[in-house]
């Protein structure tokens, strides 16, 4: 196993999973997943509810056993190792703090079970609470803290014994938007300062984009795409990833001509012909999904600037503060969401206004259905 992986990656590996399967009766929750997590990496498992991402994390933590497959940490097999012997930090969405203990006692708990000395515990707890800006809260009980403060305590407890790997399961899912965004910045800062490896489960695409070095997108128990945040957003491998990773316009079509470098011509079901770029290895003619991000479409573009231009009219406008989106119905019966190329959000075109919309070939992605 180690020799095989040494031949597939030049980077060191903190954790490795090889063809992992998890069944619950007749339900296959994780279906043949293989991945490597590099030391010091912020690695996110992203997907909708029921996609297998949390089951994957629970197997890494040792709370679930894989049905088949191999799991390694630091080149040692761990799939049969109990959770307390893996020595990983774990942070849950519901905090899992002990209500009868003070904040300091909660943070000290992992050190106590590891038989650390009293003076060592006191010093490390002080450092951990300072790290999450809760120096003055050590004597309080969890019930006396806000949700954000409780989550900081959970983070301190997961980091206090200096684990090399920290597993986080939707840790910010119960918090409101502003607090969630604040803690995202704090978690990112902690990761950069400590250099710890983090595997992070979330269903929030923006959160994964903000925090991650790489993202594994799950659906149906399988990884649909594993790549850097910009790659999964700009170059999704199939229609599921395109639609899950932010807003996109998805249309059905057929490739009628394919050329060099993935360049192709596609005909939509409505009959409109577009120039696009094939994503994936298949160049054969046939049905595909066409994806165009709203921010890549411009309204009333200059003549000759874009490969694809369609005439239509405004169906609706949505004001979003810093930007405006339009829904535009084109003459062929298609409908597009558009957010690019508008000079001002203060004077949007009114409903029924004739417009032209345009976008470049490289932003017209021709995908497998996925």
């Amino acid at each position: 196993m180690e020799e095989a992986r040494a031949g597939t990656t030049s980077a060191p590996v903190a954790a490795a999973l090889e063809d992992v399967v998890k069944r619950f009766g007749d339900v296959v929750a994780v279906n043949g997943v293989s991945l490597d997590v590099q030391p010091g990496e912020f690695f996110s498992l992203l997907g909708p509810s029921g996609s297998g991402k949390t089951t994957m994390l629970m197997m890494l933590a040792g709370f679930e056993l894989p049905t088949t497959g191999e799991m390694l940490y630091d080149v040692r097999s761990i799939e049969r190792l109990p959770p307390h012997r893996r020595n990983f930090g774990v942070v849950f969405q519901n905090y899992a703090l002990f209500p009868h203990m003070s904040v300091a006692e909660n943070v000290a708990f992992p050190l106590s079970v590891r038989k650390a000395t009293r003076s060592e515990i006191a010093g490390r707890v002080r450092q951990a609470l300072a790290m999450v800006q809760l120096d003055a809260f050590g004597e309080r009980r969890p019930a006396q803290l806000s949700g954000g403060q409780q989550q900081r305590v959970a983070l301190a407890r997961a980091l206090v014994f200096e684990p090399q790997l920290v597993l986080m399961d939707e840790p910010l899912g119960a918090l409101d938007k502003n607090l969630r965004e604040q803690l995202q910045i704090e978690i990112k800062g902690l990761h950069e300062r400590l250099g710890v490896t983090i595997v992070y489960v979330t269903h929030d695409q923006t959160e994964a984009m903000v925090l991650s070095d790489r993202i594994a997108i799950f659906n149906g128990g399988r990884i649909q795409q594993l790549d850097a945040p910009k790659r999964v957003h700009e170059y999704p491998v199939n229609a599921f990833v395109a639609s899950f990773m932010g807003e996109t316009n998805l249309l059905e079509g057929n490739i009628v001509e394919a050329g060099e470098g993935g360049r192709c011509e596609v005909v939509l079901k409505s009959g409109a012909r577009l120039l696009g770029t094939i994503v994936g290895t298949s160049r054969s003619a046939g049905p595909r999904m066409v994806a165009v991000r709203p921010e890549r479409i411009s309204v009333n573009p200059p003549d000759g600037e874009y490969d694809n231009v369609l005439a239509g009219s405004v169906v609706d406008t949505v004001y979003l503060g810093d930007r405006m989106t339009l829904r535009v119905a084109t003459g062929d019966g298609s409908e597009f969401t558009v957010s690019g190329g508008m000079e001002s959000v203060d004077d949007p075109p009114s409903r029924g206004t004739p417009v032209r919309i345009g976008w470049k070939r490289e932003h017209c992605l021709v995908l497998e259905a996925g």
Side-chain angles (χ1 to χ4, degrees):
M1 177 68 179
E2 294 169 38
E3 292 178 358
R5 287 203 171 270
T8 59
T9 178
S10 59
V13 174
L17 285 70
E18 182 66 40
D19 200 22
V20 170
V21 174
K22 177 62 179 180
R23 295 188 180 91
F24 296 99
D26 294 333
V27 176
V28 182
V30 174
N31 194 357
V33 169
S34 298
L35 59 85
D36 290 336
V37 181
Q38 297 166 12
E41 184 174 29
F42 200 116
F43 189 100
S44 288
L45 311 179
L46 172 67
S49 297
S51 61
K53 59 188 187 299
T54 294
T55 301
M56 191 78 259
L57 193 83
M58 292 299 102
M59 285 191 288
L60 264 175
F63 301 129
E64 295 285 352
L65 297 178
T67 306
T68 60
E70 191 169 11
M71 305 177 70
L72 302 176
Y73 178 73
D74 195 22
V75 304
R76 294 179 296 114
S77 178
I78 61 169
E79 63 261 18
R80 301 297 166 182
L81 202 64
H84 67 277
R85 292 186 58 197
R86 298 190 186 194
N87 213 36
F88 299 159
V90 184
V91 182
F92 298 101
Q93 179 177 346
N94 64 358
Y95 320 135
L97 301 178
F98 300 114
H100 63 286
M101 292 184 180
S102 69
V103 165
E105 289 167 340
N106 267 279
V107 175
F109 183 78
L111 299 171
S112 300
V113 298
R114 287 167 173 82
K115 308 300 184 184
T117 65
R118 185 172 299 180
S119 61
E120 183 182 6
I121 290 174
R124 287 206 185 185
V125 169
R126 279 196 302 271
Q127 291 175 353
L129 289 178
M131 181 174 59
V132 296
Q133 302 171 34
L134 290 176
D135 319 51
F137 292 77
E139 299 307 313
R140 296 193 188 184
R141 295 292 175 90
Q144 296 173 297
L145 304 179
S146 68
Q149 289 168 336
Q150 289 184 54
Q151 194 56 282
R152 284 191 180 94
V153 176
L155 279 169
R157 185 176 61 184
L159 295 168
V160 71
F161 61 97
E162 299 179 351
Q164 293 303 300
L165 179 64
V166 177
L167 309 175
M168 299 189 182
D169 184 21
E170 303 265 13
L172 309 182
L175 305 178
D176 64 59
K177 180 178 182 294
N178 289 340
L179 185 53
R180 190 164 65 243
E181 291 174 353
Q182 178 187 340
L183 283 179
Q184 286 172 15
I185 295 170
E186 294 182 14
I187 290 172
K188 189 175 180 70
L190 282 172
H191 172 252
E192 291 172 352
R193 292 202 306 275
L194 300 175
V196 66
T197 306
I198 294 178
V199 178
Y200 190 98
V201 164
T202 181
H203 66 273
D204 187 309
Q205 299 91 335
T206 300
E207 188 166 278
M209 296 279 285
V210 168
L211 292 171
S212 309
D213 296 310
R214 287 190 299 158
I215 301 171
I217 300 176
F218 276 73
N219 191 42
R222 295 181 181 273
I223 294 178
Q224 302 294 309
Q225 185 169 356
L226 198 172
D227 218 324
K230 185 175 181 179
R231 294 286 304 178
V232 295
H233 186 270
E234 295 292 338
Y235 302 101
V237 298
N238 58 38
F240 170 79
V241 176
S243 60
F244 189 74
M245 290 303 298
E247 191 171 10
T248 195
N249 296 286
L250 277 177
L251 306 130
E252 295 182 48
N254 281 272
I255 295 175
V256 294
E257 184 178 342
E260 295 292 326
R263 295 161 69 90
C264 71
E265 185 174 5
V266 61
V267 176
L268 302 182
K269 289 184 72 174
S270 61
R273 300 178 79 89
L274 302 175
L275 300 179
T277 301
I278 299 171
V279 177
T281 57
S282 175
R283 299 289 188 267
S284 60
R288 294 289 194 278
M289 297 299 294
V290 178
V292 189
R293 296 284 184 197
E295 65 271 17
R296 297 299 189 182
I297 305 175
S298 288
V299 177
N300 296 326
D303 291 340
E305 186 170 328
Y306 291 94
D307 302 298
N308 300 298
V309 179
L310 297 176
S313 61
V314 175
V315 175
D316 198 10
T317 62
V318 180
Y319 176 70
L320 296 171
D322 60 338
R323 61 190 174 92
M324 175 73 66
T325 66
L326 308 181
R327 283 197 300 122
V328 175
T330 56
D332 65 340
S334 302
E335 193 169 287
F336 292 82
T337 299
V338 182
S339 61
M342 283 175 279
E343 294 183 2
S344 172
V345 299
D346 298 321
D347 187 25
S350 58
R351 185 175 300 176
T353 301
V355 294
R356 290 179 305 116
I357 56 173
W359 61 95
K360 296 180 179 180
R361 175 199 291 269
E362 58 263 35
H363 299 142
C364 185
L365 305 180
V366 181
L367 311 168
E368 299 288 348

